[in-house]
């Protein structure tokens, strides 16, 4: 029987085989890169870059690191701190909802990834990415299918990206409490859709995304009381 994507992710553990091949070739400054928030209806898309040390004991120390989607919020928070402590370097980058609407989600995701790389003090020698390439980046890079499940650096980056974006959305919930951003983080849940229908879009919604792009203009830009005021 063929396993679905979720079952496949849960039966494997990311390792250092891709990093080790590069380390053995003398390349030590290797950044795993991943994103969070591509499919959300609100907020930024977030990316993280993570450089791990060439340490033979690293896999044991980070044994619980998985693709962020396979971890609970509590485990993501725990491993994010452990990853920052273990890393040689790490960085986080954002592309805003405005940039997403103007450029499209793929270019905005690539922009967030480049910003994560640029935020580090030193430039990586090689990039390991989950499926995507950065066409405007001249660094050597390898795009791995299901990289977040197979490669420890990418899995770690997915955790850093997810926890950074979740923190942003929890903060956004304080200014726009009617939408439930702290619980669904801007994704397309029934509660979120109902809030948009009732309150209209807030300034951080991606109005180029369905179903927002099909809403009447008066719902996208409501004239009634701002959702930032508590009810």
């Amino acid at each position: 029987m063929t396993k679905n994507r979720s079952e496949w992710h849960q039966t494997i553990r990311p390792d250092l085989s891709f990093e080790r091949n590069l380390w053995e070739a003398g390349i030590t400054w290797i950044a795993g890169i991943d994103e969070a928030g591509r499919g959300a209806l609100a907020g930024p898309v977030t990316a993280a870059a993570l450089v791990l040390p060439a340490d033979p004991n690293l896999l044991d120390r980070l044994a619980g690191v998985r693709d962020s989607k396979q971890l609970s919020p509590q485990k993501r928070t725990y491993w994010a701190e452990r990853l920052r402590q273990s890393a040689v370097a790490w960085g986080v980058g954002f592309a805003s909802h405005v940039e997403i609407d103007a450029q499209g989600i793929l270019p905005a995701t690539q922009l967030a990834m480049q910003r994560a790389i640029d935020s580090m003090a030193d430039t990586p020698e090689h990039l390991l990415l989950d499926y995507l390439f950065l066409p405007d980046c001249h660094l050597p890079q390898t795009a791995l299918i299901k990289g977040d499940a197979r490669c420890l650096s990418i899995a770690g980056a997915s955790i850093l990206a997810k926890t950074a974006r979740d923190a942003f959305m929890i903060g956004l919930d304080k200014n726009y409490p009617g939408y439930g951003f702290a619980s669904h983080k801007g994704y397309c849940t029934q509660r979120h859709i109902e809030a948009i229908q009732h309150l209209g879009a807030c300034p951080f919604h991606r109005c180029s995304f369905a179903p927002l792009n099909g809403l009447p203009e008066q719902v996208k830009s409501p004239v009634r009381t701002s959702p930032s005021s508590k009810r």
Side-chain angles (χ1 to χ4, degrees):
M1 181 182 296
T2 302
K3 295 181 179 179
N4 63 34
R5 179 179 174 87
S6 177
E7 291 173 333
W8 189 87
H9 271 66
Q10 292 172 7
T11 58
I12 67 169
R13 170 184 173 184
D15 61 29
L16 290 165
S17 58
F18 301 100
E19 294 90 339
R20 192 170 290 114
N21 287 338
L22 292 166
W23 291 338
E24 291 174 355
I27 301 168
T28 57
W29 198 266
I30 305 158
I33 300 175
D34 203 8
E35 54 74 28
R38 285 184 69 181
L41 301 181
V45 62
T46 307
L50 175 68
V51 179
L52 294 173
D55 180 350
N57 298 316
L58 188 64
L59 198 58
D60 291 332
R61 295 209 314 270
L62 301 177
V65 170
R66 298 289 188 276
D67 168 20
S68 65
K69 295 184 290 296
Q70 302 302 316
L71 300 175
S72 68
Q74 293 78 14
K75 287 185 177 180
R76 285 196 295 263
T77 299
Y78 172 80
W79 285 112
E81 181 59 28
R82 292 287 300 273
L83 286 161
R84 287 189 288 264
Q85 292 172 355
S86 299
V88 174
W90 61 276
V92 172
F94 297 83
S96 73
H97 64 288
V98 175
E99 291 168 319
I100 292 169
D101 282 343
Q103 302 179 27
I105 187 58
L106 177 57
T109 300
Q110 293 166 331
L111 178 60
M113 290 178 168
Q114 187 62 57
R115 286 171 174 166
I117 297 166
D118 293 343
S119 72
M120 293 190 292
D122 293 299
T123 302
E125 297 174 89
H126 196 102
L127 309 179
L128 297 173
L129 302 99
D130 184 23
Y131 193 74
L132 295 179
F133 276 108
L134 299 182
D136 297 326
C137 178
H138 300 297
L139 296 173
Q141 50 191 294
T142 303
L144 302 173
I145 296 173
K146 300 177 181 175
D148 52 6
R150 301 164 62 201
C151 172
L152 189 65
S153 295
I154 297 176
S158 78
I159 293 172
L160 296 184
K162 175 63 174 168
T163 52
R165 187 179 187 278
D166 283 358
F168 180 94
M169 297 306 295
I170 291 168
L172 193 63
D173 185 69
K174 297 176 182 177
N175 293 322
Y176 300 93
Y179 294 97
F181 289 139
S183 60
H184 55 63
K185 309 303 188 296
Y187 284 91
C188 187
T189 66
Q190 184 62 36
R191 177 187 177 187
H192 192 183
I193 295 300
E194 290 173 354
I196 293 169
Q197 291 170 341
H198 177 63
L199 299 171
C202 86
F204 286 86
H205 275 103
R206 304 173 184 178
C207 288
S208 62
F209 276 37
L212 284 155
N213 61 5
L215 293 175
E217 288 303 317
Q218 63 268 27
V219 177
K220 292 183 185 178
S221 304
V223 295
R224 53 180 170 267
T225 305
S226 166
S228 62
S229 58
K230 292 182 182 283
R231 286 171 169 75

